Structure formats: C-alpha cells, structure tokens
C-alpha cells in the first residue's frame, strides 16, 4: 500500500492505524529552519546600519502546517483523538530520515470524497536544534558555481546553487535613515538636517537550490550550510561581482519546494534571508600598486595622486584620484588595457 512504512506516530504506522500519509511536497514546511528569537539591536543616527548583540543567539519555536492524505475518512476521529492524548507526540518521517517531537496546535482544513480525503494540521516544534556538518573541499561537491562566500566558504562547498534573483537582492541599496526634521505649521515644507546621509540595515533574500542524489546527501549539504549560518557572532558574506564583503546575520529560512523523486533524488529550493547590518552602497575601484604594496602615484610634486583603474565598456582606463585621465607624454592619448 502506498505510504506504508513511511510515517510513524508514537511508533505506530500512520497509514495502517490512521489511514494517513504525507501529501507530495508536504515536507517543505517541516524541514525549514526557524528564526532566531528576538535579537537586541540599537540604531545610532550618525552611523549606518545597526549595532547588534549576537553573542548567544538561540532558535525560536517553529509553528507550521502539513498536508496529509487519508485513505479512509472514518479513521480521522481516531487520529484526532490520538493527537489530543498528551501534548507531544513523536513523528518519524522515514522518507526524509528524521524524527520530530511535535505538538498539535490547530486542525486546519478537512475535505472528503466518499472514503478519501485530505486534511491540514498545524504543529509546533518546540525543540529546534542547530545542525552539525562539514562543508566539502573546494570543487568536490559537483556544483559548478563560485562567487558567493560565507565566512570564506564558497556556497558550492555546501553543495548549493545560488539562484537567479539573489544578485538583485544583494545589490539593492538599503533604505535611507531619516535625519532630524522640523515641520512647522507656519512654514511651507519642512526643515531637514542635510549634513549627512546614512542607511538602515537591509534584508537580503538568497534563493538557493540543493540538488542531491539521496536524502542522506541532502542532509549533508543542508546541515553544512546551516552549521555556519547559525553560529554566534556576525557572519561575513562575500559577493565577487562587486568585490565587496558584508557583515550579516541569519534572519529566516523559507522552503518553497521540496520534492523526493521516485529514484530517491532530492530537489529543494529555499530562501535564506540574511540581514546586512552595516551596508552602505559604494562604488568598486582598483588602485595600482607595486609588488611591495606601495601606491603608484602621478608625477606632480606638490599634489601627487594615486592611480585608479576604471572600467569603461570593454576597456580599462587609468585615471587619477581627482578624476583626470592618465595620458601619454604627447598629451593626447589615454592609457588603457584591452579587456576583451
């Protein structure tokens, strides 16, 4: 019988005793990580972002819904009665190789057609755990992507693909923090402190795919990522496209697709939301230096300037700090590298 031997509730086969099994795709809310409990933060008007206390962050309880199919609706009341006997029950999901101690919080939708039916139940997981895991050596996960790093570990080393849409979230500028203003009923407009512009922290939603050959392989990849994401103190996220590194911390996780193929293959798409808490939009620039890391400067004796490298189309041009192009001695030709 379909579903037999896959879900056990308090040691009883859920299909044989209650006639229920997990609907296809029903695991996605179960596996997603809960958020941290409220983290202490302080905003200072003269600084970007926020000051945060990440010395001992802890995971919050997680409430979620799961969809089940029932092969005989006459068994439904037996299941409800069992779940009402004591708050906590052990759910063993053998499809994903995990057991959870869950508490029923709500009976959601129930629909039936003759003997068959569907029901949605809400549970609380009051015992979340931070996983343990080790990432792959570089190039060993089989993921051919690079340029996104967490604490110096490329996301490919977690066996994860960073999906389309993530770059836009990273590059989007944070919102501006409002300065002191005075709005008087006797004056048109208002008086605004325009001395400086500072930015708030921003949420960055990374869209990620884990494509694994088996459930054991999936958990290896998943655990290796969240073992780093959920560590105390701030994390460091590097984005190679801009060449920038950002301080960040974990905010939330949402699984949008979790599919177990007939051959045991796992396809999991999820969003990992990080808070970039000290993030200011800045341009990227490169400066010329010697092998000894001394700056290469222009020849002006009174006011020498460092020399920048500025991309322009398919060319890379040399330019001084004051915005003047470096030219040849005949005062007519720009100096560039062919970057095709």
């Amino acid at each position: 019988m379909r579903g037999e031997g896959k879900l056990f509730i308090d040691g009883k086969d859920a299909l044989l005793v209650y006639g229920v099994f997990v609907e296809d795709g029903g695991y996605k809310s179960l596996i997603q990580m809960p958020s941290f409990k409220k983290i202490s933060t302080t905003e200072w008007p003269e600084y970007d972002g926020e000051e945060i206390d990440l010395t001992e962050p802890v995971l919050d309880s997680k409430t979620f819904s799961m969809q089940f199919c029932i092969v005989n609706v006459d068994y439904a009341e037996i299941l409800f009665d069992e779940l009402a006997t004591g708050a906590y029950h052990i759910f063993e999901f053998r499809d994903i190789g995990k057991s959870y101690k869950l508490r029923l919080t709500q009976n959601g939708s129930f629909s039936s057609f003759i003997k068959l039916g569907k029901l949605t139940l809400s549970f609380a997981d009051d015992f979340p755990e931070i996983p343990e895991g080790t990432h792959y050596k570089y190039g060993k996960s089989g993921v051919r992507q690079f340029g996104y790093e967490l604490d110096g570990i490329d996301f490919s080393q977690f066996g994860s693909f960073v999906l389309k849409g993530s770059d836009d979230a990273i590059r989007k500028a944070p919102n501006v923090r409002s300065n002191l203003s005075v709005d008087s009923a006797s004056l048109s407009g208002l008086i605004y402190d325009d001395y400086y512009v500072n930015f708030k922290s921003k949420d960055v939603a990374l869209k990620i795919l884990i494509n694994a050959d088996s459930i054991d392989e999936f958990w290896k990849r998943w655990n290796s990522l969240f073992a780093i994401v959920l560590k105390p103190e701030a994390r460091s996220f590097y984005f190679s496209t801009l060449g920038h590194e950002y301080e960040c911390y974990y905010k939330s996780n949402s699984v949008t697709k979790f599919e177990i193929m007939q051959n045991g293959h796992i396809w999991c798409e999820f969003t990992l939301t990080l808070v970039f808490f000290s993030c200011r939009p800045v341009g990227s620039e490169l400066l010329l230096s010697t092998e000894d890391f001394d700056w290469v400067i222009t020849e002006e004796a009174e006011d020498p300037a460092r020399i920048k490298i500025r991309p322009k189309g398919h060319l890379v041009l040399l330019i001084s700090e004051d915005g003047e192009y470096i030219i040849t001695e005949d005062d007519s030709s720009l100096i560039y590298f062919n970057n095709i």
Side-chain angles (χ1 to χ4, degrees):
M1 185 181 295
R2 181 182 178 183
E4 183 178 349
K6 294 185 176 182
L7 168 61
F8 288 79
I9 302 175
D10 295 332
K12 302 173 184 176
D13 190 313
L15 183 63
L16 298 181
V17 178
Y18 310 112
V20 298
F21 60 91
V22 179
E23 188 177 16
D24 287 345
Y27 290 116
K28 62 183 182 180
S29 58
L30 172 69
I31 69 167
Q32 67 188 24
M33 278 291 170
S35 302
F36 280 142
K37 289 187 176 180
K38 184 175 177 57
I39 294 174
S40 176
T41 64
T42 304
E43 289 189 350
W44 302 98
E46 65 271 29
Y47 296 107
D48 294 319
E50 58 190 4
E51 183 179 313
I52 58 173
D53 181 5
L54 289 167
T55 52
E56 295 181 351
V58 291
L59 292 173
D60 204 351
S61 175
K62 178 183 72 175
T63 301
F64 62 96
S65 297
M66 286 192 71
Q67 293 71 45
F68 297 87
C69 297
I70 185 165
V71 297
N72 188 339
V73 293
D74 293 338
Y75 292 172
E77 280 67 30
I78 301 175
L79 173 63
F80 299 149
D81 181 64
E82 175 67 22
L83 295 179
T85 305
Y88 292 105
H89 298 270
I90 303 299
F91 287 74
E92 181 185 356
F93 301 94
R94 294 190 178 179
D95 264 345
I96 63 172
K98 290 286 184 179
S99 292
Y100 297 86
K101 186 177 181 181
L102 303 177
R103 171 170 54 88
L104 180 68
T105 61
Q106 187 174 356
N107 291 310
S109 62
F110 180 88
S111 60
S112 62
F113 180 74
I114 307 178
K115 289 293 185 180
L116 303 179
K118 289 188 177 183
L119 63 153
T120 300
L121 301 176
S122 295
F123 299 96
D125 180 1
D126 297 331
F127 309 96
E129 295 181 352
I130 294 178
E132 297 180 353
T134 304
H135 55 275
Y136 295 88
K137 292 183 179 179
Y138 192 78
K140 297 296 184 182
S141 72
V143 176
R144 301 183 183 277
Q145 185 188 54
F146 66 92
Y148 309 89
E149 296 179 9
L150 192 65
D151 288 358
I153 303 169
D154 196 276
F155 269 69
S156 66
Q157 294 178 258
F158 302 122
S160 302
F161 292 91
V162 179
L163 300 175
K164 183 178 180 180
S166 299
D167 286 14
D168 292 342
I170 297 168
R171 301 184 72 164
K172 179 182 179 296
N175 291 326
V176 174
R177 178 180 292 128
S178 296
N179 293 343
L180 180 66
S181 63
V182 178
D183 190 358
S184 172
S186 61
L187 294 175
S188 297
L190 55 77
I191 301 171
Y192 186 82
D193 180 5
D194 64 348
Y195 183 71
Y196 53 82
V197 176
N198 284 325
F199 294 86
K200 298 181 178 181
S201 60
K202 71 170 184 177
D203 292 354
V204 175
L206 301 177
K207 299 181 184 300
I208 300 174
L209 164 67
I210 292 180
N211 180 13
D213 292 335
S214 66
I215 191 62
D216 290 339
E217 182 65 20
F218 165 78
W219 286 120
K220 173 179 172 57
R221 298 177 185 224
W222 177 273
N223 291 344
S224 68
L225 172 59
F226 281 97
I228 299 296
V229 170
L230 301 177
K231 289 174 63 176
E233 304 299 346
R235 310 272 56 81
S236 174
F237 182 89
Y238 175 72
F239 182 46
S240 67
T241 299
L242 297 181
H244 289 167
E245 199 164 18
Y246 307 91
E247 287 190 294
C248 62
Y249 63 92
Y250 168 74
K251 181 177 182 179
S252 63
N253 164 233
S254 176
V255 179
T256 53
K257 181 182 289 187
F258 184 87
E259 294 186 0
I260 305 175
M261 312 298 182
Q262 289 187 349
N263 61 358
H265 203 95
I266 306 297
W267 184 279
C268 179
E269 295 179 27
F270 61 97
T271 299
L272 172 65
T273 302
L274 303 175
V275 179
F276 286 21
F277 63 87
S278 181
C279 178
R280 186 179 185 87
V282 292
S284 299
E285 59 182 35
L286 299 175
L287 298 168
L288 288 185
S289 68
T290 67
E291 287 184 294
D292 297 327
F293 300 104
D294 293 325
W295 298 122
V296 177
I297 59 176
T298 55
E299 292 184 345
E300 290 84 359
E302 294 184 359
D303 191 21
R306 294 179 298 182
I307 299 175
K308 296 181 179 180
I309 300 173
R310 171 178 289 180
K312 186 176 182 181
H314 64 280
L315 302 178
V316 178
L317 298 155
L318 296 186
I319 189 171
S320 66
E321 284 186 289
D322 58 8
E324 297 292 331
Y325 286 106
I326 306 296
I327 60 176
T328 56
E329 290 184 351
D330 60 9
D331 293 334
S332 62
S333 299
L334 302 179
I335 301 174
Y336 68 88
F337 302 99
N338 192 331
N339 195 38
I340 296 179

